[in-house]
Amino acid sequence: MVALYTTNPGGPTARLVDALADAHPSNRLRAALAAGTARDSGLTETLVARCAVEPDFFVRDMLTWALCRMPAETTVPRLIEQLGSDVEQARSQALHTLSKIGDRRAWPAVSTLLHDPHDEVARSAWRAAVALVPPDGEGELAARLATELGRGDHPMQLSLSRALVGLGESVLPVFGAAATSPDPWVRAHAEATERLCRDPDSGFTVSLEMAKRVAAAGPDM
């Protein structure tokens, strides 16, 4: 186990708990690594709670790794609880971790966040939903995700397109419905996503020029 220097005089678990809140990211990173290596399910609560407030991306990624090493019977119910948190990062990181664990027990709760008003939570929910959708549920999920077409900036739209593409051929019918949308941005986003779905090497572009062209062509293009 990685040596950790903390002010907590308790046993190894107590020292890890202390180190996970250390002021230095490098110490927190080592603590998360040590927690995952130890696979002590008693640390689950601390790891989940830390995910909600950890500011460093690399530490958060290590926290997710550590949670994935714990028994799913312990981690999944606690992560599902986090999906109801008022803290945006708590929901987003729980979704990310659940997508990595891959336990479909989380699907009902994950599916409620597909339209979360916070962009990062919604993006995490889209990725998690594609990973956890039940067999034969891809078509329904595609239809629900399609209602988000046109949302946000370019990275946000690319995230949605990748999620839709990840559902395979079941996503193709949604493009016909999107083509009749009165919103040119929705139609442009759908067009770019369909092109990406049919030709993954084509790249992804939704631009003002494309939206103007789609608008000029009308909803029946």
Side-chain angles (χ1 to χ4, degrees):
M1 181 179 292
V2 179
L4 297 164
Y5 300 94
T6 77
T7 59
N8 194 323
T13 297
R15 290 196 295 273
L16 272 177
V17 170
D18 203 19
L20 285 166
D22 192 271
H24 299 285
S26 59
N27 288 339
R28 300 198 303 275
L29 185 68
R30 290 199 300 272
L33 173 61
T37 301
R39 304 182 74 169
D40 180 357
S41 60
L43 289 167
T44 298
E45 180 64 31
T46 300
L47 293 170
V48 170
R50 187 65 204 176
C51 283
V53 297
E54 173 55 53
D56 186 273
F57 169 82
F58 296 104
V59 178
R60 291 199 304 272
D61 204 43
M62 189 64 76
L63 289 168
T64 286
W65 174 81
L67 284 166
C68 288
R69 301 261 298 169
M70 303 294 177
E73 292 72 19
T74 301
T75 57
V76 171
R78 185 64 186 89
L79 290 166
I80 291 174
E81 288 179 11
Q82 284 291 87
L83 299 185
S85 171
D86 293 332
V87 179
E88 177 184 347
Q89 183 173 303
R91 301 197 303 278
S92 177
Q93 196 66 22
L95 286 162
H96 173 66
T97 305
L98 286 167
S99 73
K100 297 297 184 181
I101 294 173
D103 192 315
R104 286 199 169 107
R105 286 178 294 175
W107 165 250
V110 167
S111 66
T112 66
L113 297 179
L114 296 176
H115 311 299
D116 195 280
H118 294 280
D119 285 354
E120 191 55 42
V121 177
R123 291 173 67 175
S124 297
W126 299 340
R127 291 190 292 266
V130 172
L132 300 174
V133 62
D136 301 323
E138 292 88 351
E140 179 181 354
L141 176 57
R144 295 177 64 185
L145 290 178
T147 64
E148 295 288 291
L149 286 166
R151 175 178 173 176
D153 57 13
H154 185 274
M156 183 76 172
Q157 293 183 4
L158 178 56
S159 291
L160 179 60
S161 293
R162 284 174 172 166
L164 287 166
V165 170
L167 294 174
E169 293 186 357
S170 60
V171 75
L172 295 178
V174 307
F175 298 127
T180 65
S181 171
D183 186 338
W185 282 107
V186 171
R187 303 203 303 276
H189 190 185
E191 178 184 316
T193 306
E194 183 175 16
R195 184 173 62 251
L196 187 65
C197 188
R198 297 184 185 280
D199 182 8
D201 296 326
S202 65
F204 176 82
T205 302
V206 178
S207 63
L208 178 60
E209 291 71 22
M210 178 184 286
K212 288 179 178 177
R213 175 176 61 77
V214 172
D220 296 323
M221 63 173 291

